[in-house]
Every structure is written in structure tokens, then in C-alpha cells.
Amino acid sequence: MAEIKEILPDFPSGPLSNYRKQASFDWRNMAVVIDTEERLKFKHAIWKAMEEDPTFTHSVKDKDSSLDEIRNRTFEKALKVREIIPDTGFDFRTRAETSSVLGQYDWSVSLRYAILQSFFSNAIRGAGTKGHYKYVEAAEKQQIYGCVCMTEIGHGTNIRGLRTKATYVPSTQKFILNTPDFQAAKCWAGNLGKTANFAYVMAQLYTPDGVCHGLHGFVVPIRDSQLNTLPGVIIGDMGPKAGLNGLDNGFMMFNNYEIPKESLLNKNGDVTAEGTYVSPFKDPSKKFGASLGNLSGARVAITSLCSASLCNAVTIAIRYSAIRKQFGNPGSNEEMPIIEYQLQQWRLFPHLSAAYVLKYFSSVLFDNLMSFALSQFDSDMNQEVRAAWGMEIHAVSSSAKPLAGWLAQTAIQDVREACGGHGYLQCAGISRLRDDNDAFLTFEGENNVLMQQTSNWLINLWNDSKREVIIQKSKLGSLTFLLKAEQRLNNTFQPGTVEALLKPKVILGIYKWLVCYLLRLTAEKYQTLLAASDQDNFLAKNESQVFFARTLSLAYIEHFMLETFHNQLCQRPGLPEDIKNVLNKLFLLYGLWSLEKQHLGTLYEGGYFKGPKPSKLIRNAILGLCEDLKPEAVALVDSIAPTDFVLNSVLGASDGQVYKRLEQAMSQYPDSFAKSSNWSEFASRLKSKL
Ligand SMILES: Cc1cc2nc3c(=O)[nH]c(=O)nc-3n(C[C@H](O)[C@H](O)[C@H](O)COP(=O)(O)OP(=O)(O)OC[C@H]3O[C@@H](n4cnc5c(N)ncnc54)[C@H](O)[C@@H]3O)c2cc1C
């Protein structure tokens, strides 16, 4: 514990001390429980190194800097990261925290580093063979700068529609890359705009007989060592964006650009020297799936990144709410901190509960992904079981990433409003977080489309005669709700009091009924549409999304997150009682808040709820939990907050000196007290003699 105290020292006494003293648990113990000691050491070592290195000093001028300056500074920081990451030996799991740790400081730095260090090399490793590993090694040593080019101007979500062409020419043993028109230009790739000299490019592979063999990855040099664009390649910068402006997203076109045959990443398909196409896959759809590689990895990672954004947001708002005072009891001279208001609690504490549930869940999901990746070396592992495991991770991550993105995004907006006008200042650190986090909702699988992967999988399972066997074999355990589904669907809501409602089993029971109900309903809707449309699968899928498949995916992942949090954390043997108590309240609040917010209608529609009592009990329980969590809230954010340097918010610093910091920030703004540079022009119009 002494060592942890060095990493997490006591907070200075000040305006937040009063609320800190009210907590029923030890905030350091909670930090260790939710994060583990290794991860705390790792991230604080990085944050400390950043704080001590002038490269990472926050600049008050960032807002007024040119795009070029912002990007240069971001890239310099991204390059520096390698030097400050502590050596964790073979502990890859701890190292995987790097993106979140950097992102809590600045998402542009985090993403630039991730693309340089792993996004590009993972793409090459996933699709390439031994001869391509030299690119992986060079990228990881930062001897080349990579980017990943899948999206085109005309096609993003529909990857199969990509139109960049790679035609093999036997006489030269080269591929020729061509971009048919601007709509087929590669776009959005991070690091492409100004920096990358190599690209992973997805293109349709054509053999000399004119046959298209579908999408394949290529490793392509795009700039020379002086970062000049190579002849045959046109690269442009996409310009300012809503956020992430430290990242240079670019667009790229090819004009009869020749690359060697070996540029083809040939794990899933190759061409002979003469131009015959060969592939280990007979079924083209399986090859397509394999060529997209292990997409779950990035989605699981983004789930963690969104949870990191959420932690920053709730830290700012809850600390500020404990300090900010408005109004007071009539007759009293004292004004009340706004955290005392029921409305403020209800606006913020559910987001705090979501931060805890999501943080823990994303970490479990990451561990599972790591175990899955390692299982490829386990020769005793049954391949069918492994394939089912991969499918389950895919389904879970396809709804976890959207839910995490939305949870963070709505929380950040609520936090902005909950901090009033000062929350709108750039130095509050909220708008930056909102604009940057926003992109997570779109890249690595657009949220709404991605969730269809989960619902498709669930519907197939519902109709599978071997459903029970599949559920028993499920490695993650996300399908337990389906056990005895038909029986479960006859259940109805039983609790008659708030006390009876506030039991984990009851909340999970409501969710289990809900997911079964939505699954049966969606599967039936889909079958009806299929029958009515002469087996038009495309139409049936599209027409069963709203109120059906989309809600199903959401309810499924909410239930699994809650169940994981409860079974694996709240019920963990040896957990101190004080910690367990608070975690239990967070579990209950997240569950009830999510049900109330989006599922009451379905619960009444399906007959699980009857009469006014269930919704009244739920709403009373939410308010009661908010009141219970008030004395815990400041300590709860202390346990998940980054350091003040990293949070970089005048409203959210741990010393609570909001007004001192506001004064400093406003006074230090360049030219804060100077006249406008155009003052003489304005002054020349002043005619009044008043
Ligand atoms: C900051 C940022 C960084 C990025 N980095 C990269 C990168 O490094 N490399 C790269 O290749 N790409 C990158 N992208 C691109 C990103 O992957 C795409 O934007 C994403 O895949 C979505 O594609 P799109 O923009 O073409 O949207 P579209 O596919 O055009 O979608 C538009 C809307 O249509 C809806 N829609 C589409 N299909 C359906 C359907 N079947 N049913 C219902 N609704 C549907 C979607 O939900 C969405 O709301 C990045 C994007 C951003 C914003």
C-alpha cells in the first residue's frame, strides 16, 4: 500500500475535502480494485514522464495555432511516447493500456501513436506472410511511418463496394494501382495527410484475364524518404475537422502506379508469376471475412478508449458540482453546492455508474480477447470451439463499441451542461473531449451498422436447433439469458417495494426477460418479412432494425455488461465490504437508469410490467440511489481520475481551486488584457460624445 500511496498521494486539503471525508470507502483501495496495481503503476509512470517532459507541456496557444503547427506538435509528442513507456517485459495486457493513458491527455496524440505503432503493423501482420514482417518491424521501430487506407470517398461502411483497382501484369511481375475517379479516392486515413510514407491499401485484385478476385491488402510506398509524394500517387490533406485536429487525415489517388508483386499481402490469396489466382479459401465469403482480419481487436480497444473519455468527463463535472454554489435554503445565508440538488445528481450520477461498469467491462473484454489471441497456439483447443469463441467476441464487441461510444458522448454533453457557462470554456476541457470522442462513433465500424452484426448473430442462434449446446459452450458467457428462454418469457415483475427491487438478481432478471422478448420478437418479425417478400433477406434485415434488432443489440450488451460487473467484480471473493457496497449501488443505478431511459415501453408492451407500480418503483429507486451516492461521488471520481496535468481542466482539478484556476486561465490567455489588434478601425467610428 505504501507504494500505491506514492502513486496516488493524498489530495491537498481544500474545497473538496468536505465531500471527500463523507465517503464510506477508501478511494485508493477502490482505485486498485477497479484498475489493478500494475496498471495504476504503468499509467502513472507515463503521466509523470509526460508532465516532466517539456514536449508535453500544454500550450495556451493551441487554440490559435495553425493546423500545421497543431499537427507538428502532436506528431512530435507521438514520436516521443516510445521513449517514456515503461518496460513491462512480456506483460502485453498492461502495455495495451497505452492508448487510453495517452488519450486521457490528448486523443490526437493517442491515435497518431496507435497508427504508427500498431494499427498499420497489425494490418500488415494480419494479412501478410513472412516476407512482409520487415514492414512490421520497421513500423514498430518507427523507421517507417504507416497509415491504413480502406475507406474511399464513395464507400465507407460498405467495404465490399471499394473500387481501387490492383491489376496484375505477368510481363513485369507488378501490380498496377488505379483510382477510377474521385469517388474511389482513399480517404480519412490518419497519418496520410502529411506524414505516412507507407500505406496498407485495400484494393480489388484483378488477374490478367480481367477477373476480379475481390478485396486484398497491399503494402504500398507512397512517399520518399524526404516525404515527397511518389510519382503516380496523389495525396491531399482533408483539412480541419470537428475534432482530432492533431491527426492528419488525408485522401489519396493512384494513377497507373506500379508496385512489386510482393506488395500483395498474400495470406488469404495470391497470384502466381504467370497470373493465376490461388487461395486457401474455396468459399469467397470466408476469404472476405478473413481478409478483413481481426476487426474485433480495434473495437474492443475503442470500448476501452470511450470508457477513458467517460472517466475524464465525470471527474470534471462531479468535482466542479461539489464546489460550485448556487442558491440556498430560504432563510440561510449559505449557498448550496449544486451537487446537493436532486436534479444535478440525477443528471450526473448515472454517468458515474456507467463509467465504473464500462471501465470494468472493457477491461474484462480485453483480457478475453488476449486469451482468444493466445489460444491459436494451443494445439489441444478444439477448432470449432475456438471459432465459436471468435464469433462471440465479434458479436459482443460489435455492440460494446457502439454502446461505449454513446455512453461517453451523452455523458460528455450532459457534463458540459451540468457545468453551466464555465463548462463551455475551452479551459474546462469538456468541448475538446466531446469533439474528439465523437469520431469513435463512426470509425472502426459505424455504430448503427455495426450493431447489426450482433443482432444477426443472435437471430441465427435463436433459430438454431442446437441452441442449448452453443450456450453451454459459450466462452464469454454472454448467452446465459437464453437458458430456459421460453420459461423465462412467462415471468412477470414481482417486487412490491423499492427494497425488493434493489436486488442484483431482480435487475438482471428484468434484463434477461427483456433480451429474450426482444430476440423472439425480432426473429419473428424477420421471418414474417422474409416470407412476405419472397425470401428477400436484404429487405427483411433492413425492415426489422428500428424498435427491433437495434434495441435487441443494445439490451443484450447492457445485460452482459451488468452481469459481468456483478458476477466478476461485485461478487469477487475477498472484496472489502465497504467497496462491495458502493460497487453494488453503482451496478443498481446503471441497470435501473438504462432500463428507465430506453426500455420501459417494451417492458409494458410485452406484459412484464403491469400498472403504474413498476415504473414508479424504478424511478423512486433511481432517486434513492442518487441520494445514497452523493457522499461517495467525489471519492468515486478520485479513484478513476487521471492526474491534474492530464485532465487539464480548470473545473476538474483535484485541489478544487476552481476560481483561482479560472482567474489564471483567463488572465494568461494571450492578449487577454490588450486592445484588439484592429482597435483603431473600431475606434474611428466612435462618434458619440456621451
Ligand atoms: C476521425 C476519423 C478517422 C478515420 N480513420 C480512418 C483510417 O485510418 N482508415 C480508414 O480506412 N478509414 C478511416 N475513417 C473512415 C471511417 O472508417 C468511415 O467514416 C466509416 O467506416 C463510415 O463510413 P462512411 O463515412 O462512408 O459512412 P457511410 O457508410 O456513408 O454511412 C453514412 C450513414 O449511413 C448509415 N448506413 C450505412 N449503411 C447502412 C445500412 N445498411 N443500414 C442503415 N444505415 C446505414 C450509417 O449508419 C451512417 O450513419 C476515419 C473516419 C474518421 C471520422
Side-chain angles (χ1 to χ4, degrees), residues 119 148-151 156-157 188-190 244 249 439 442-443 446 449 452:
F119 194 33
V148 174
C149 301
M150 289 172 42
T151 309
T157 312
W188 274 116
L244 293 176
N249 297 87
T442 296
F443 60 56
E446 199 284 326
V449 179
Q452 297 180 25

Side-chain angles (χ1 to χ4, degrees), residues 331-394:
S332 156
N333 290 334
E334 282 284 306
E335 281 194 303
M336 255 168 36
I338 55 176
I339 201 170
E340 296 292 333
Y341 292 103
Q342 186 189 65
L343 191 55
Q344 189 80 351
Q345 293 164 14
W346 171 76
R347 288 164 73 194
L348 292 178
F349 295 171
H351 295 307
L352 175 63
S353 67
Y356 267 79
V357 175
L358 183 62
K359 184 170 171 56
Y360 184 72
F361 176 77
S362 57
S363 155
V364 171
L365 191 57
F366 215 113
D367 290 343
N368 211 285
L369 183 79
M370 294 286 282
S371 308
F372 173 70
L374 288 174
S375 72
Q376 66 181 303
F377 305 112
D378 178 359
S379 51
D380 292 338
M381 179 129 207
N382 178 307
Q383 284 315 303
E384 227 173 275
V385 172
R386 189 168 189 274
W389 189 5
M391 290 286 286
E392 192 176 9
I393 292 181
H394 177 70

Side-chain angles (χ1 to χ4, degrees), residues 3 140 219 242 311 316 419 427 460 462 465 599:
E3 229 182 319
E140 286 173 351
V219 55
C311 289
I316 296 170
C419 292
C427 58
N460 285 340
W462 181 258
S465 57
H599 302 301

Side-chain angles (χ1 to χ4, degrees), residues 440-456:
F440 292 136
L441 277 52
T442 296
F443 60 56
E444 289 304 323
E446 199 284 326
N447 272 4
N448 285 280
V449 179
L450 192 54
M451 290 215 302
Q452 297 180 25
Q453 301 282 325
T454 309
S455 52
N456 290 347

